[in-house]
Amino acid sequence: MDHKTLYSYIEPVIALTDDELALLMSCAKMMQLKKGEQLLKEGEVCSAFYLVETGYLRTYYDRDSVAINMNFTFEGDFTANLKSYRDRKPSETIIEAGEDSIIWIFNLREIAEQYDAYPQVSRFIRRLAITQLLTAQEHSALIKLHTPAERYRHIEKNSPQLLQRVSLSQLASYLGVTRETLSRVRAKNN
Amino acid sequence: MDHKTLYSYIEPVIALTDDELALLMSCAKMMQLKKGEQLLKEGEVCSAFYLVETGYLRTYYDRDSVAINMNFTFEGDFTANLKSYRDRKPSETIIEAGEDSIIWIFNLREIAEQYDAYPQVSRFIRRLAITQLLTAQEHSALIKLHTPAERYRHIEKNSPQLLQRVSLSQLASYLGVTRETLSRVRAKNN
DNA sequence: ACACACCTGTGACCAAAATCACAATCGTAT
DNA sequence: ATACGATTGTGATTTTGGTCACAGGTGTGT
């Protein structure tokens, strides 16, 4: 993939000049992952943002070997562990491929000293962060305001691709219920 | 309150020059609120960040006249409705005083065109946003990973002032349980 | 086609929390 | 001190979702 194609993922977030794009590219590398391979392990410090080109990434807590999913990131979207990134603290979550995936890793820590000279790059990162975190806020509201059946219908309506690509068991922990409950919710909804 | 005192709230977030501080002050005004008065109403577009000088602010959804609390902001902390602010969309949440309060309103929209000349101010705002949103992410994890009793103990340990200043009923919806359940949790914990 | 691993559906049962109802307590203003 | 409203505690009951157990499906690789 060349700069031009990569820019097609960045441009919807912010317009960049060639110089700015070059700076970003200087810290980017591509990686192929098999389903289940981990991009960020528990205890590692996150120093990059990840862009999904194909496949998807799953962010989850490992509670006694049971995955509690917090986020799914699909083609064209960015993710990271912002808390670990900002505070340079070990990550409590794992980010791994939910399918065989092609991922772009932007090691932003490498270029952090150059932000001042490239304010648009700084703004780009800020927008990624805000978008990611608004998503978390909405997810929190979804769980606090709605019943399991309502949560499922919300996903059906607003993120139907989740239902296509994520297994019911994975979706269950994302919605804060067991897989049995979600299976029954789905049975009644038809 | 003069600039110097106000700066004591800003400085822990970021160091600013006199010029930068002056820009921020140019969009700031102080407001006194009685308990229960609303700072941001449902349906309004949020165009400011709020700093609590005394008292506290409560952010909640009104579901059929029942408050579902999402956040409490105490002395020295900032809050806003970032989603409404960024997208210029009507707020789905209400921000109101939980006690008689003194609040500083920073109408950041007024000074947005001047950010480019004051990158530190821009960075200041970004930090506020990230902090606020990491809080939301942690809250989401608290509810998804823990039982009601564990959530209560987490608050006891990590945010004891919530227990001092927020009524049990208000805290209950924040923790995603009914007030009765929280009352029983508390009874057993002693 | 077969075995094997993984995922989903479903019933029986159990536990936890919600709901409903009302009593007790606390706080504030008069 | 009293009255009023708001808040909290608590019992009885219902509902929901979790847990356990197992059957049926699906998909992959050999």
Side-chain angles (χ1 to χ4, degrees):
Chain A
M1 176 184 271
D2 59 15
H3 289 209
K4 211 165 240 171
T5 319
L6 198 51
Y7 184 57
S8 72
Y9 294 111
I10 293 169
E11 198 270 333
V13 181
I14 200 164
L16 294 182
T17 64
D18 289 349
D19 274 4
E20 290 158 349
L21 184 58
L23 175 66
L24 264 185
M25 289 300 296
S26 76
C27 75
K29 55 172 182 264
M30 195 264 265
M31 195 169 174
Q32 301 214 24
L33 290 173
K34 291 274 178 205
K35 175 175 176 171
E37 287 184 327
Q38 298 186 349
L39 201 48
L40 178 69
K41 298 186 191 350
E42 195 173 342
E44 280 182 4
V45 174
C46 182
S47 58
F49 273 59
Y50 310 109
L51 163 66
V52 177
E53 189 186 329
T54 63
Y56 73 86
L57 293 175
R58 184 162 74 85
T59 302
Y60 65 97
Y61 286 90
D62 180 330
R63 297 281 288 176
D64 312 315
S65 302
V66 178
I68 310 289
N69 294 307
M70 299 306 283
N71 187 251
F72 299 96
T73 307
F74 291 97
E75 284 88 352
D77 280 332
F78 292 80
T79 193
N81 182 333
L82 274 170
K83 188 183 172 188
S84 171
Y85 183 88
R86 187 190 67 165
D87 300 337
R88 292 180 159 77
K89 289 273 176 60
S91 175
E92 295 175 7
T93 60
I94 295 156
I95 302 180
E96 75 172 44
E99 300 171 350
D100 293 355
S101 300
I102 297 175
I103 306 298
W104 282 87
I105 300 174
F106 293 85
N107 196 318
L108 298 176
R109 200 88 82 190
E110 278 178 14
I111 59 167
E113 319 81 53
Q114 296 171 70
Y115 285 175
D116 287 345
Y118 295 89
Q120 283 295 93
V121 171
S122 176
R123 188 169 291 177
F124 167 69
I125 295 159
R126 179 178 70 226
R127 288 192 183 175
L128 293 186
I130 299 287
T131 297
Q132 187 192 334
L133 288 159
L134 287 182
T135 302
Q137 214 173 42
E138 282 180 55
H139 186 60
S140 180
L142 177 65
I143 287 185
K144 262 169 71 169
L145 297 173
H146 301 287
T147 65
E150 289 168 341
R151 293 174 213 165
Y152 181 75
R153 283 195 294 271
H154 185 271
I155 296 299
E156 270 186 321
K157 193 177 165 193
N158 300 291
S159 317
Q161 78 164 335
L162 263 183
L163 303 181
Q164 306 307 316
R165 299 181 59 184
V166 172
S167 78
L168 176 139
S169 301
Q170 301 288 3
L171 185 62
S173 72
Y174 179 68
L175 295 181
V177 297
T178 61
R179 56 169 202 80
E180 292 95 331
T181 296
L182 193 56
S183 173
R184 285 169 184 132
V185 162
R186 171 194 274 177
K188 284 193 185 168
N189 258 340
N190 295 339
Chain B
M1 175 183 273
D2 60 13
H3 288 209
K4 211 164 242 170
T5 319
L6 198 51
Y7 184 57
S8 71
Y9 293 111
I10 292 169
E11 198 271 331
V13 181
I14 200 165
L16 295 181
T17 64
D18 288 349
D19 274 6
E20 290 158 350
L21 185 59
L23 176 65
L24 265 185
M25 288 302 296
S26 77
C27 76
K29 56 172 182 264
M30 194 264 263
M31 196 168 172
Q32 302 214 23
L33 292 172
K34 291 273 177 206
K35 174 175 177 172
E37 287 186 326
Q38 299 187 348
L39 202 47
L40 179 69
K41 297 186 189 354
E42 194 174 342
E44 279 182 5
V45 174
C46 181
S47 59
F49 274 56
Y50 310 109
L51 164 64
V52 177
E53 190 186 329
T54 65
Y56 73 86
L57 292 175
R58 183 162 74 85
T59 302
Y60 64 98
Y61 286 89
D62 181 330
R63 298 281 288 175
D64 313 315
S65 302
V66 177
I68 310 289
N69 294 305
M70 300 305 284
N71 187 252
F72 300 95
T73 307
F74 291 97
E75 283 89 352
D77 281 333
F78 292 80
T79 193
N81 182 333
L82 274 170
K83 188 182 173 192
S84 171
Y85 183 89
R86 187 190 66 165
D87 301 335
R88 292 180 159 76
K89 290 274 177 58
S91 175
E92 296 175 7
T93 59
I94 296 156
I95 301 180
E96 74 172 43
E99 302 171 348
D100 293 354
S101 300
I102 298 175
I103 306 297
W104 283 87
I105 300 173
F106 294 85
N107 196 318
L108 298 176
R109 199 90 81 192
E110 279 178 12
I111 60 167
E113 318 82 53
Q114 297 170 72
Y115 285 174
D116 286 344
Y118 295 88
Q120 283 295 92
V121 172
S122 178
R123 189 169 291 177
F124 167 69
I125 294 160
R126 178 178 70 226
R127 289 192 183 175
L128 292 186
I130 299 286
T131 297
Q132 186 191 334
L133 287 159
L134 287 182
T135 302
Q137 215 172 43
E138 282 179 55
H139 186 61
S140 182
L142 177 65
I143 287 185
K144 263 168 70 167
L145 297 173
H146 300 287
T147 64
E150 289 168 341
R151 291 174 215 166
Y152 181 74
R153 283 195 293 270
H154 185 273
I155 296 299
E156 270 185 322
K157 194 177 164 195
N158 299 291
S159 316
Q161 77 164 334
L162 264 183
L163 303 182
Q164 305 308 316
R165 299 180 59 183
V166 172
S167 78
L168 176 141
S169 301
Q170 301 288 3
L171 185 62
S173 73
Y174 179 68
L175 295 181
V177 298
T178 61
R179 57 171 200 81
E180 291 95 333
T181 296
L182 193 56
S183 172
R184 284 168 183 132
V185 162
R186 171 194 275 179
K188 284 193 186 167
N189 258 340
N190 297 339

